[in-house]
Amino acid sequence: EGDVWVVSYVKSGTTWTIGILAALWKHPAADYAGSLQKVTRNFCPQPELPDLGWGDDGFGHSIRELNDWSEGAPHQCFKSHWPSKDHVVSNGKSKFIYVMRNAQDQMISMWNQVYGMGFHYGTENMTFEGGWDGFVEDWMNGDVENGQYFDHVASWYSRKDDPDVLFVRFEDLKRDALDVILQISNFLGTEFLSPEHIQNVTELTSFEKMRQADEQDFGLRFMRWLGVIRRTHVRKGEVGSGKLMFSTKQLAALELEYEKKLKTLGVPRDWVLLD
C-alpha cells in the first residue's frame, strides 16, 4: 500500500522524475537528485538490478533489503524500466508514473550512455563495431536494454487512462517543469503543499542542479578518472537534438514502427517522432 513506481524506457527522464518525488516528500535524496547511484541506494531502488554484494557502493539490493524497504516509511518509491507486465501490473495498491520521451532523442541519449560506458547495451555479446548505425539497427530490433522501444511504450500507453497510472512526457518537463510537478503532486495526493514547498521542489530538481549532483558524485568521478565510464549520466537533456543524426532509411524505419505499433493506439506522432 502506498508504493509509487517510476517507470520508463531507459534514458527517458526517470532520474528527473524520481528527484521530483524525493523533493515532494521532503526526502534527503532531493539534495542529490541527479546522483543516480546514491538515489537508487537510498531512496528509490530498482528491483530488477542484481545485488552484487557491494552494499552502498553499488546499485542493487538484496531481496531482504527490498522486503524491509517499507518498514516505518510513509512513502515508498521504486524504479523500473520494465514493460507493463509481471511486477508492474496494476495491483489495486500501487501507483505508477510512466515517463515517455520521443524516440529519436531517447536513442541518442541511450547511445551516449552505452558508448560512454564503453562495454554494454544492457545485453550480452554486444559490441560497438557497427558504430552509430549498428546501434540504431540493434535498437530497432530490440537488441538493447529493455527490448524494443515501440513495444515498451505501447504496453504502458494502453494503461494511460487508468486511475493508478500517470503519463509524464520528458518534453513537458523541459517545457514547463512546474506544471508537471503539480500533476505529480495531485496524482500522489500531495496537492495541499504550500507555494514555498512547490518552489523549492522546482529549484531542487532543475536540470542544472541535477547535472551538478551527477558531476560531483565521488563514485562516478572516480570511475570516469579510471576510464571505466567516459561521459556523465545527466548530460544535455535537450529536446530535438536527434533531428540530424538519422539517415533517410532510418527515419523511414522509425515511421513504419510508429504506424504499426503506436498510431493505432492513438499515440500522437509528435510524442514519438521529431519533425
Side-chain angles (χ1 to χ4, degrees):
E1 188 75 43
D3 292 350
V4 177
W5 290 79
V6 179
V7 190
S8 75
Y9 193 78
V10 66
K11 300 304 294 180
S12 294
T14 332
T15 301
W16 196 350
T17 308
I18 289 170
I20 290 172
L21 256 68
L24 284 171
W25 290 343
K26 300 182 180 180
H27 191 281
D31 292 325
Y32 48 85
S35 178
L36 178 66
Q37 190 271 337
K38 287 178 68 177
V39 170
T40 303
R41 277 297 302 177
N42 299 314
F43 174 64
C44 195
Q46 183 177 350
E48 296 112 46
L49 293 178
D51 174 31
L52 300 179
W54 295 353
D56 286 340
D57 293 323
F59 285 84
H61 295 76
S62 68
I63 295 297
R64 180 176 178 179
E65 285 178 309
L66 291 173
N67 287 335
D68 293 343
W69 193 257
S70 61
E71 290 291 327
H75 309 289
Q76 299 87 46
C77 174
F78 292 96
K79 169 184 174 180
S80 178
H81 290 309
W82 219 245
S84 179
K85 62 179 184 179
D86 303 327
H87 55 288
V88 288
V89 298
S90 294
N91 56 30
K93 297 180 180 180
S94 303
K95 290 187 175 183
F96 303 87
I97 300 173
Y98 185 76
V99 192
M100 178 182 172
R101 190 177 190 180
N102 78 75
Q104 287 160 266
D105 285 343
Q106 185 283 329
M107 202 187 309
I108 288 174
S109 183
M110 187 175 183
W111 162 251
N112 277 285
Q113 174 169 289
V114 296
Y115 178 78
M117 296 183 73
F119 58 86
H120 81 97
Y121 290 172
T123 56
E124 295 181 357
N125 303 319
M126 292 292 173
T127 72
F128 292 91
E129 293 179 4
W132 164 250
D133 289 340
F135 173 74
V136 172
E137 183 177 354
D138 291 339
W139 187 95
M140 292 294 300
N141 292 332
D143 292 329
V144 292
E145 183 180 0
N146 309 122
Q148 222 248 16
Y149 167 92
F150 294 93
D151 292 335
H152 199 284
V153 172
S155 75
W156 280 97
Y157 192 83
S158 63
R159 292 174 58 186
K160 75 176 182 64
D161 294 325
D162 292 356
D164 61 348
V165 175
L166 176 67
F167 229 78
V168 169
R169 294 177 60 231
F170 180 90
E171 292 78 12
D172 291 336
L173 272 167
K174 288 290 292 184
R175 178 181 55 81
D176 189 348
L178 176 59
D179 182 65
V180 177
I181 288 169
L182 292 174
Q183 288 181 45
I184 294 173
S185 176
N186 290 335
F187 178 67
L188 299 178
T190 55
E191 63 267 34
F192 300 113
L193 296 174
S194 68
E196 293 78 15
H197 187 182
I198 291 295
Q199 181 60 33
N200 191 46
V201 172
T202 305
E203 294 173 357
L204 284 171
T205 58
S206 69
F207 195 85
E208 186 57 38
K209 182 80 162 51
M210 292 197 307
R211 181 157 52 189
Q212 290 173 3
D214 176 61
E215 291 172 348
Q216 294 168 6
D217 184 282
F218 177 78
L220 295 178
R221 287 174 62 189
F222 183 63
M223 292 174 73
R224 284 192 285 270
W225 181 78
L226 290 174
V228 175
I229 57 177
R230 294 175 283 194
R231 297 183 182 176
T232 56
H233 178 72
V234 180
R235 201 174 59 92
K236 293 183 178 180
E238 294 177 347
V239 175
S241 62
K243 289 183 178 180
L244 302 178
M245 289 284 291
F246 295 85
S247 68
T248 301
K249 181 180 179 181
Q250 289 166 345
L251 290 173
L254 287 169
E255 191 79 49
L256 181 61
E257 285 297 299
Y258 166 73
E259 294 275 344
K260 286 195 307 183
K261 296 182 177 178
L262 297 182
K263 184 178 180 179
T264 56
L265 296 176
V267 182
R269 184 184 180 280
D270 62 355
W271 285 21
V272 181
L273 303 174
L274 298 169
D275 289 326

